[in-house]
Amino acid sequence: MHDRELNEECAVAGAFNIPNASKSVYFSLFALQHRGQEAAGISSSDGKKMHTIKDRGLVTSVFDDQKLATLKGHMAVGHTRYSTAGDDSILDAQPVYARYDLGEMAIVHNGNLTNAQSIRDKLISKGAIFQTFMDTENMIHLIAKSDEDKILDRIIDAVKKIEGAYSMIVQSRSKMFAMRDPHGFRPLSLAKLGEGYVVASETCAFDLIGATYIRDVKPGELLIFEKGQEPISMQIQEPTPKHCIFEYVYFARPDSDVYEQNVYSLRKKMGEILAKESPVEADMIIPVPDGGVPAAIGYAQASGIPFEMAIMRNHYVGRTFIEPTQEIRDLKVKMKLSPIRKMIEGKRVVIIDDSIVRGTTSKKIVRMLKDAGAKEVHFRVSSPPTTDPCFYGVDTPNKEKLIASHMTNQEICDYIEADSVAYLSKEGLFESVSNEDDSYCTACFTGEYLV
Ligand code: SF4
């Protein structure tokens, strides 16, 4: 699924008690760019004043040395955003910043609040005015309007009113607070850097800036960062872990450890189990780059069939706004993926991808391989059929657009014109990720929503 048919809605990062904290956050966001490419922002604090820059675009285009120099201070929070069509206004970029009776605050949020509308309606009926469509703005209002005197108590008060998925960092002028919803839907990890601390959506951010991973922020936990102190942990809500299993399948970077397990190793294992569950006689295993690579290596090693990078990916394709004409209708896929005809011609190939969403891209890939002379094309998917949309921070198409919600495997096979199609079973996925304690959200494979 190389063209990101499912999109993680954001990444968050925070740095505390670190000289030029905005630089550490900038590089963290750079490492987390895969989680959102539409907008990026950083708010820093020098203890007296906050400084915020946010804009549409990639992290490297929003910031340069000059801009980072204006983001002064020993603490900073940052965000990269993916936005759905129609709400890509700069107002919807984060951090969400506000002045209120206790001073200033900036919030970054990865996830989706499931009771956002009812909270917003209540706040509006009491006279609140909203500037954006973001559920994160609710949090600003809840903190600002709380009757408590201290920011910590106000945050706790606000957190008890929100439901759904949130890995969130709140920055005041002198403190930082990191928290995760009681289910821990989205990841959030803690690391040490020099005398200070870094919090980020994935550990690949720590590797880039040389921070040492300490542990994950626990579901339902609030971490408080104050100058001159170790982070203070408060378990403010009863933990009932339901980590997003799709982080392992698709979203997270393979070099990250998510929920304390390495993503690459798990993806490889998914491929190994898929090979055992759905073997096929073939001449080569080909991944859909880049997402299908670890699972394809696992499939190849378990089956003994050679692994070949027989589809090349062009890494320099951004967005194209030029719609291909009817005659060159497969151009969009061809601009990104190109098969090596001399390797494929006359061969029985197994193509491995991490998921099938709408089926349209998979169909084009099968046609591309057949046009390149493949004798047989067997499609193998290293996750179970995606049948239901996500309400916890991932942008998925409506249920009716998810091909597996209304077609059997055979119908999907006929639609994408492959010689066979097989998915990893749910049991196979659970075995890959050691789901012994039932601690994962699997709603997009099962339709069983927790919240
Ligand atoms: Fe992740 Fe799917 Fe659950 Fe959404 S519904 S949190 S994508 S497992």
Side-chain angles (χ1 to χ4, degrees), residues 222-240:
L222 171 66
L223 280 176
I224 305 147
F225 299 84
E226 280 185 68
K227 192 137 195 185
Q229 289 194 26
E230 297 289 301
I232 300 162
S233 163
M234 288 177 74
Q235 192 68 43
I236 56 171
Q237 284 172 303
E238 188 65 31
T240 46

Side-chain angles (χ1 to χ4, degrees), residues 6 8 165 185-186 242-247 251 259 386 388-396 440-445 448-449:
L6 300 176
E8 183 71 59
F185 280 115
R186 312 250 67 88
K242 284 286 165 195
H243 308 308
C244 171
I245 207 164
F246 224 88
E247 291 282 349
F251 300 126
Y259 323 133
T386 310
D388 291 85
C390 173
F391 300 111
Y392 310 130
V394 173
D395 178 52
T396 32
Y440 292 103
C441 172
T442 57
C444 51
F445 305 127
E448 290 161 15
Y449 297 99

Side-chain angles (χ1 to χ4, degrees), residues 6 30 39 90 104 164 169 236 262 282 325 357 382 390 404 435:
L6 300 176
F30 177 80
I90 183 60
E104 293 175 281
I169 311 172
I236 56 171
N262 173 250
T325 56
V357 183
S382 61
C390 173
N435 188 36

